[in-house]
Amino acid sequence: MVSLDKQLEELKVRKRDVESKVAAQHVLNETELMEEVKHWLEKVENIEGEVMTIKEKVKNVKFFSCASLSKDVVKKIGEVKDLIDERSTFPERLVFSCSNHGHVMAPQVLEGTTFEKKREEIWARLINNEVTRIGVHGMGGSGKTTVLKQINDRLLESKDKFDNVIWATVSKDSDVLSLQYKLARMLELDLSYDDGEARASKLRTRLEAKKRFVLILDDLWEPLNSLHDIGIPEPTHQNGCKLMLTTRSRDVCRKMSCEPIEMELLSQTEALDLFLEKVGREVSSVPSLKEVVDRIVKECARLPLAIVTIAGSLKGSVDHDEWVVALEELREATKGSASDGIMEKLKFSYDRLSNQLQACLLYCTLFPEDHEIQRDLLIEQLTVEGIIPKMSTRELEIKKGQVMLNNLENVSLLNGIITEGVKYVKMHDLIRDMTLQIVSESPRYLVKAGVGLKSVPTEESIWKVDIAKASLISNNISDILPDTISPNCPTLSTLLMSRNSGLGSISDNFFLHFKALNVLDLSDNPGLKNLPDSISDLVTLGALFLRNCLKLRCVPSLARLKDLKKLDLFSSGIDQVPHGLEMLVKLTYLNFCGCPLKNIPDGILCKLTNLQFLALSHTSEGPTMKGEELADLRKMENFEGVLCDSESFNEYVTSLGEKGPARYLLQLGFSDSYVHYASEESGDKIVYLTSNWQQSSSVTLLLPKDVKMLAIRHVLGTMSSLCELTSDYNAAKLRVCYIEDCSAIRYLFCNSDSGVPLLPSLDILHLDGVKDLWGLIERKIASEASSQLPPAGSFLSLKELRICDCNSIKKLFGIDITSLPNLEQLTLSRCEQLEAIVSMRSDDEEHQAEGEITEHAISTISLPKLRRLVMSTLPKLHHIPVIADSLQEIHIDACPKLERISFLDRESCPPNLLHVDIDQSMWSLLKWDYPNAKDVVWSLMNVAYDVAK
């Protein structure tokens, strides 16, 4: 029973974590709980009741009768453990969006009469009620995908036509299972633990919930035998759904009963226009280049993909000789080609790349067709591979990698994609075919990515002795058993085996002959439970990636891996520090984020003096860091983790000096979810204070000099002020500040130096539920005289100020703030004691005084850029003395003591005012000196009420 109680308590912790994440991810009524999450929560609730029943039975029966219940208890312990393990399989998103009608594709611009005519033909068929299936066919590189991406985005703009648009790229080697998983990803559905019928049923249910949808299957090579077996509802006139596909084969259209539309090639004139658009119009202004440009365009055979790729490789050049040589090389490349020569044309662009960029592009060939490769992770691998050269700092290496990928995008050999704020690159399937052709000519590449392998290849002819790079990504490889051959590949430097969901274990002899292995990637294998001990013998290993291996609890000893530079255990099941970690003195990258790791023994991290990147878990009870240990890591450029207490926090901040990490997330206390405030405005320099950390009144935190975001949630404890602003720690670059549900904080900041501008870069300040707040800044001035002179530049950049549920604050600003020159939005809501925007009285006088602030104690504040003003439920506010000529929108309600609105009651209202919403009960009590102004405001209110109706 003790064991059962312990397991149940852990399950309850997981349940609270799930419920908190669900609450954070829900947006009004626009999201629904994932089916697997809903069932899990129901099972947890049921098992809690069953355990209570067992407890009652144990309590009420005699000692010897208890023995008969032992089997029930043991069984229940197993069920609770299974539910705990099941929680670890959930995706990051626990809800799916009901309001997400599809994803904007933002394709490259292709124009011209031929292309536009074909696009309009497809659109006309699509909105024709009689047509339910459309197949766009044509040769590779003719623009089939581009035209459907434009149709996709047009559908999302015309929401009256269809309810949802779903896009899935099928690709050459796809089977029914991979198509189901691709659809599931687009529909935010988890099919990991389902059989064929269950997968199809779940997909059908989710798609039917999308009502009138358009399903686009891009790059279909073989006809699908049965939509029903996959889980796709049959599109009919009755349900209003449509199926669209692209394919190179008209025969696929016929077998899929699709209305066929052939993608025509561009005209020669359109081809020239597109080429000049991509290469640069300045080329057309060089007379000597006209003829050679025309010939190169002709060689592109009117294929859009060939045109944009070749134009990209020549961009920026106006040298006549270079163009002539390029034309000859292009002709030679396509001479004698039995087909349309598209591969040769694309290889021409590859040949013009530098060796570095060629190596980068060929590395991308190791990923499956149509795979979206996350840029950040790709750069990590390119760095350890040596494709990105060693530079003085990690930050410079990352920038170099970004530049290289940008260069490949600029010449159209890679496509850039942004999904939910994450950047990816992707290869066009023809580009990948071209690079596969290149690597096939060299025995040093083994690429079996996404081809449906169920086991590791055993043929010695595949595992050649001089092979250098091998990719088995995204297959269905199951356990590698002891009788599996141990490939004799003494020169193999890279082995990528991520995304093999059936892989649970690897035999000890598999790695036996990999004597030169540098990069090993086993990420995204959720069933992987153990690694062979032979991992310890891979003494040349430079990088080990084990991301998202949820069931992996530990790794073999790393003590002998003296050359290891990157160890990535992100969101794995690792719950103890790997043995020998302190021996990895060359380690530059260590990622424990998302691991259930509870503790890192003292004295380990401080030995890893070359660490540049360190990420620890901060969303659950994990390891905390001492400031002195972090301070020893002088080369740190990226840090995410929780400091053990405020003294350690201040100690580390003090140690940073002038130059700290390029990116950091410094946290006190653990949170329920990742910091969801981060944005482009806040950058990557974040301080996060949250629950489970209780501040004492004697400690005031120092903020790093370059901090860009401060987030505080659920902090407990009594304190006068939270963070100190001084000449050394003035948070001069702080741009975003969010404070939520914090008790007993009187001030956010204290300032003991009158010469320091207060938060001059702050753009956004949100305060919600800071119940005991008196004001924003506590002024600790040495002399009385100095307090009269406000620091120049205070709050200079503030654009958005929101204060809600702060019941103790009586004024926003003191007399030292007479203008907020950049404030655009001001929201004040549910602040019971708020009496004035700006008051001449000190904070102590404010809170010692009986009664309300008198009118002579109120000052006017200028807000020249204010566009939106919201004031709601402010029972003591009786003046709004602001100057705001740029106002466009005003909402005021439940301010019963407000008798005048000075910025409206004047000879002329703000000239840009468009919308006024004042509740009717207040309107009747307002006093006006200018009747004309009252009439103007009333007319704007009527417009607002008409719109609302």
Side-chain angles (χ1 to χ4, degrees):
M1 287 305 298
V2 170
S3 177
L4 178 57
D5 275 342
K6 185 178 178 182
Q7 293 295 331
L8 185 65
E9 192 54 42
E10 184 174 349
L11 181 61
K12 287 179 179 179
V13 170
R14 303 292 175 97
K15 180 187 176 186
R16 287 195 293 272
D17 173 56
V18 167
E19 289 171 337
S20 298
K21 283 191 174 183
V22 167
Q25 292 173 5
H26 266 310
V27 182
L28 299 178
N29 296 318
E30 297 181 342
T31 55
E32 285 187 17
L33 206 56
M34 294 281 196
E35 207 62 36
E36 60 270 27
V37 178
K38 186 188 297 182
H39 289 156
W40 184 84
L41 287 170
E42 289 171 356
K43 286 189 282 187
V44 172
E45 195 168 321
N46 290 338
I47 211 164
E48 285 178 345
E50 291 165 6
V51 171
M52 288 300 296
T53 302
I54 289 176
K55 282 186 174 182
E56 288 299 317
K57 286 183 179 179
V58 171
K59 192 189 301 181
N60 295 324
V61 298
K62 294 180 180 178
F63 176 79
F64 290 105
S65 302
C66 282
S68 64
L69 290 172
S70 62
K71 288 183 180 179
D72 291 342
V73 175
V74 171
K75 181 183 176 185
K76 204 57 61 182
I77 290 172
E79 291 175 7
V80 172
K81 285 181 176 178
D82 287 344
L83 283 171
I84 291 170
D85 288 342
E86 190 179 333
R87 163 63 187 95
S88 65
T89 66
F90 289 170
E92 182 63 28
R93 293 284 298 171
L94 304 179
V95 300
F96 69 91
S97 173
C98 306
S99 62
N100 183 9
H101 301 285
H103 295 279
V104 176
M105 308 300 286
Q108 65 182 49
V109 178
L110 285 182
E111 298 299 342
T113 305
T114 301
F115 188 83
E116 291 172 0
K117 179 182 174 185
K118 194 57 60 177
R119 184 177 60 211
E120 293 310 311
E121 180 184 348
I122 296 169
W123 181 259
R125 302 273 185 93
L126 180 61
I127 61 176
N128 183 340
N129 292 331
E130 300 303 313
V131 179
T132 59
R133 299 186 183 205
I134 299 167
V136 180
H137 65 95
M139 63 190 302
S142 59
K144 303 182 297 295
T145 299
T146 300
V147 74
L148 281 202
K149 282 183 176 179
Q150 291 188 4
I151 294 288
N152 175 91
D153 290 0
R154 188 167 169 182
L155 284 169
L156 294 179
E157 292 172 2
S158 310
K159 293 179 182 176
D160 58 318
K161 300 287 190 300
F162 296 92
D163 297 310
N164 290 276
V165 187
I166 302 109
W167 181 290
T169 303
V170 185
S171 75
K172 187 189 301 182
D173 298 312
S174 287
D175 54 15
V176 169
L177 181 63
S178 62
L179 177 56
Q180 286 178 324
Y181 278 125
K182 285 176 181 177
L183 288 172
R185 181 184 168 198
M186 300 307 296
L187 297 167
E188 301 181 70
L189 193 62
D190 183 19
L191 303 179
S192 304
Y193 299 92
D194 298 307
D195 59 21
E197 286 188 12
R199 286 194 299 270
S201 176
K202 277 189 176 182
L203 282 170
R204 224 173 3 257
T205 301
R206 182 63 59 85
L207 281 167
E208 285 169 352
K210 296 287 184 180
K211 301 177 183 176
R212 295 179 308 151
F213 64 80
V214 177
L215 174 61
I216 301 174
L217 301 178
D218 184 38
D219 197 21
L220 193 65
W221 284 73
E222 299 291 338
L224 302 173
N225 294 326
S226 168
L227 295 181
H228 183 272
D229 290 347
I230 295 169
I232 302 172
E234 187 70 33
T236 64
H237 307 305
Q238 289 74 27
N239 62 25
C241 299
K242 305 272 182 164
L243 173 67
M244 301 183 77
L245 58 89
T246 70
T247 178
R248 298 185 195 181
S249 168
R250 184 184 177 92
D251 200 41
V252 170
C253 296
R254 180 179 62 79
K255 291 180 179 178
M256 290 285 295
S257 303
C258 290
E259 184 93 9
I261 301 176
E262 184 175 7
M263 199 68 201
E264 298 173 14
L265 299 179
L266 303 177
S267 70
Q268 198 62 36
T269 302
E270 291 166 342
L272 178 60
D273 283 344
L274 177 60
F275 186 88
L276 292 174
E277 184 68 32
K278 298 300 178 183
V279 80
R281 291 283 173 182
E282 64 272 12
V283 170
S284 60
S285 64
V286 182
S288 62
L289 290 180
K290 185 179 185 309
E291 184 179 354
V292 68
V293 168
D294 288 341
R295 289 180 179 178
I296 284 180
V297 172
K298 190 173 182 180
E299 288 292 329
C300 294
R302 299 184 290 151
L303 282 165
L305 180 62
I307 292 166
V308 298
T309 305
I310 291 171
S313 70
L314 291 164
K315 191 171 185 176
S317 172
V318 292
D319 181 77
H320 180 269
D321 291 343
E322 185 177 348
W323 279 80
V324 170
V325 170
L327 173 60
E328 186 57 31
E329 288 174 348
L330 184 56
R331 282 174 170 168
E332 283 296 319
T334 56
K335 187 182 291 183
S337 174
S339 62
D340 51 40
I342 181 69
M343 292 297 179
E344 292 79 7
K345 294 177 178 66
L346 297 176
K347 189 174 183 301
F348 164 82
S349 296
Y350 167 83
D351 289 336
R352 294 180 62 82
L353 296 173
S354 67
N355 291 339
Q356 204 174 62
L357 289 179
Q358 285 183 351
C360 183
L361 188 66
L362 292 184
Y363 193 86
C364 293
T365 310
L366 297 171
F367 295 88
E369 185 177 344
D370 294 313
H371 184 74
E372 294 179 359
I373 312 168
Q374 191 170 331
R375 283 178 72 120
D376 292 345
L377 298 181
L378 176 59
I379 287 172
E380 294 297 341
Q381 293 191 349
L382 292 174
T383 303
V384 77
E385 291 278 4
I387 295 172
I388 295 173
K390 177 71 177 171
M391 304 186 81
S392 59
T393 67
R394 170 184 165 79
E395 188 177 13
L396 283 175
E397 291 172 358
I398 291 172
K399 287 179 178 177
K400 175 66 174 176
Q402 299 289 5
V403 168
M404 289 169 63
L405 295 178
N406 289 343
N407 288 338
L408 290 172
E409 285 185 31
N410 291 338
V411 297
S412 299
L413 289 170
L414 288 179
N415 296 324
I417 301 167
I418 300 178
T419 304
E420 295 182 353
V422 180
K423 293 183 178 180
Y424 300 85
V425 292
K426 181 179 174 182
M427 263 188 175
H428 190 285
D429 54 349
L430 279 177
I431 303 288
R432 186 170 185 272
D433 287 345
M434 179 266 293
T435 56
L436 275 174
Q437 199 173 80
I438 294 170
V439 300
S440 69
E441 296 167 1
S442 163
R444 296 184 63 76
Y445 275 77
L446 167 61
V447 183
K448 296 287 183 182
V451 296
L453 293 174
K454 290 184 168 54
S455 60
V456 172
T458 57
E459 300 88 342
E460 291 185 9
S461 59
I462 291 179
W463 295 100
K464 294 183 171 62
V465 174
D466 56 352
I467 198 169
K469 298 186 190 302
S471 172
L472 304 174
I473 298 173
S474 294
N475 285 293
N476 302 313
I477 295 173
S478 56
D479 293 354
I480 301 177
L481 303 175
D483 58 355
T484 304
I485 68 159
S486 176
N488 183 23
C489 301
T491 61
L492 183 70
S493 67
T494 299
L495 178 59
L496 309 181
M497 290 183 62
S498 58
R499 296 173 179 262
N500 284 279
S501 57
L503 187 61
S505 63
I506 301 173
S507 72
D508 203 48
N509 67 344
F510 182 68
F511 295 107
L512 199 59
H513 301 302
F514 295 157
K515 300 299 184 184
L517 198 61
N518 180 38
V519 176
L520 176 59
D521 188 356
L522 294 167
S523 299
D524 299 299
N525 290 316
L528 188 63
K529 294 180 180 177
N530 61 70
L531 294 177
D533 290 339
S534 54
I535 291 281
S536 302
D537 298 324
L538 300 176
V539 294
T540 61
L541 203 61
L544 178 59
F545 297 96
L546 296 165
R547 299 173 66 87
N548 300 308
C549 294
L550 303 174
K551 293 188 177 180
L552 188 65
R553 295 286 181 260
C554 62
V555 297
S557 174
L558 304 177
R560 297 183 61 215
L561 307 187
K562 300 293 179 62
D563 287 334
L564 198 67
K565 296 179 180 67
K566 293 184 192 292
L567 178 59
D568 193 342
L569 301 166
F570 174 84
S571 282
S572 67
I574 298 296
D575 56 11
Q576 54 186 293
V577 172
H579 177 265
L581 181 66
E582 69 277 9
M583 306 293 289
L584 308 181
V585 293
K586 292 185 180 179
L587 203 66
T588 62
Y589 180 105
L590 179 58
N591 194 342
F592 281 121
C593 191
C595 296
L597 186 68
K598 300 296 182 188
N599 178 50
I600 299 179
D602 292 348
I604 288 184
L605 289 178
C606 62
K607 293 180 181 178
L608 307 179
T609 54
N610 284 302
L611 268 185
Q612 298 173 335
F613 179 104
L614 175 61
L616 304 173
S617 184
H618 43 81
T619 58
S620 60
E621 293 286 350
T624 58
M625 294 295 299
K626 292 181 179 178
E628 59 190 33
E629 279 204 280
L630 282 177
D632 289 337
L633 302 176
R634 296 293 181 184
K635 295 183 180 180
M636 189 73 70
E637 295 184 41
N638 297 64
F639 173 71
E640 288 186 20
V642 180
L643 280 298
C644 61
D645 53 40
S646 50
E647 286 81 5
S648 279
F649 184 95
N650 283 351
E651 184 176 1
Y652 180 55
V653 169
T654 304
S655 75
L656 295 179
E658 290 298 323
K659 184 172 174 57
R663 295 176 178 83
Y664 55 75
L665 170 57
L666 303 182
Q667 188 165 311
L668 275 171
F670 293 97
S671 61
D672 296 327
S673 59
Y674 190 77
V675 182
H676 57 279
Y677 307 110
S679 64
E680 289 185 11
E681 289 79 16
S682 67
D684 296 311
K685 299 185 176 184
I686 302 169
V687 168
Y688 188 25
L689 315 176
T690 185
S691 53
N692 303 326
W693 168 65
Q694 186 158 347
Q695 169 69 303
S696 66
S697 57
S698 60
V699 177
T700 305
L701 295 179
L702 302 175
L703 293 178
K705 295 180 181 182
D706 56 355
V707 64
K708 291 187 178 179
M709 187 177 91
L710 173 63
I712 306 174
R713 298 177 68 217
H714 311 306
V715 170
L716 307 174
T718 302
M719 64 213 80
S720 174
S721 54
L722 197 58
C723 302
E724 186 171 2
L725 302 178
T726 68
S727 54
D728 289 327
Y729 303 98
N730 56 6
K733 295 182 180 179
L734 186 69
R735 298 188 63 183
V736 178
C737 182
Y738 291 103
I739 320 290
E740 289 183 9
D741 300 326
C742 296
S743 63
I745 298 176
R746 287 188 176 181
Y747 298 94
L748 301 182
F749 307 98
C750 65
N751 177 38
S752 57
D753 187 341
S754 63
V756 178
L758 304 177
L759 308 174
S761 300
L762 189 66
D763 289 336
I764 299 172
L765 175 59
H766 283 195
L767 306 175
D768 285 276
V770 190
K771 301 294 185 183
D772 294 326
L773 187 73
W774 281 15
L776 303 179
I777 308 289
E778 180 182 18
R779 303 295 300 278
K780 294 182 177 178
I781 308 300
S783 69
E784 196 66 34
S786 63
S787 66
Q788 305 306 311
L789 297 174
S794 297
F795 295 99
L796 190 65
S797 300
L798 192 62
K799 294 178 181 176
E800 185 177 324
L801 175 60
R802 168 190 165 93
I803 301 182
C804 299
D805 292 305
C806 297
N807 293 331
S808 297
I809 190 167
K810 291 192 173 186
K811 69 174 183 181
L812 290 189
F813 301 104
I815 185 66
D816 51 357
I817 301 293
T818 58
S819 174
L820 295 175
N822 289 297
L823 191 68
E824 297 176 1
Q825 297 186 51
L826 175 60
T827 300
L828 303 173
S829 177
R830 300 185 301 279
C831 297
E832 295 177 0
Q833 301 297 323
L834 187 69
E835 299 175 3
I837 308 298
V838 180
S839 171
M840 300 175 71
R841 296 199 310 213
S842 71
D843 296 318
D844 289 337
E845 289 174 336
E846 211 79 78
H847 285 271
Q848 290 169 7
E850 296 280 339
E852 297 173 347
I853 299 175
T854 57
E855 192 164 349
H856 74 269
I858 295 173
S859 179
T860 300
I861 187 169
S862 173
L863 309 174
K865 290 188 179 180
L866 189 68
R867 293 183 292 103
R868 186 171 190 268
L869 175 65
V870 177
M871 293 190 166
S872 174
T873 318
L874 307 172
K876 292 194 175 182
L877 183 73
H878 51 87
H879 293 283
I880 312 180
V882 301
I883 301 171
D885 291 338
S886 295
L887 266 173
Q888 298 175 8
E889 186 180 350
I890 301 170
H891 300 265
I892 302 177
D893 70 88
C895 300
K897 296 198 174 182
L898 190 64
E899 296 181 348
R900 294 184 184 277
I901 305 177
S902 57
F903 55 85
L904 294 180
D905 185 20
R906 54 189 220 181
E907 202 165 326
S908 60
C909 283
N912 299 316
L913 197 58
L914 299 173
H915 184 101
V916 178
D917 183 5
I918 302 174
D919 71 48
Q920 292 284 12
S921 60
M922 281 184 56
W923 177 259
S924 60
L925 299 174
L926 286 176
K927 297 177 181 179
W928 298 84
D929 292 332
Y930 294 91
N932 289 340
K934 180 180 180 181
D935 293 340
V936 171
V937 174
W938 176 249
S939 67
L940 291 171
M941 284 176 60
N942 284 338
V943 169
Y945 294 140
D946 289 342
V947 169
K949 288 177 184 176

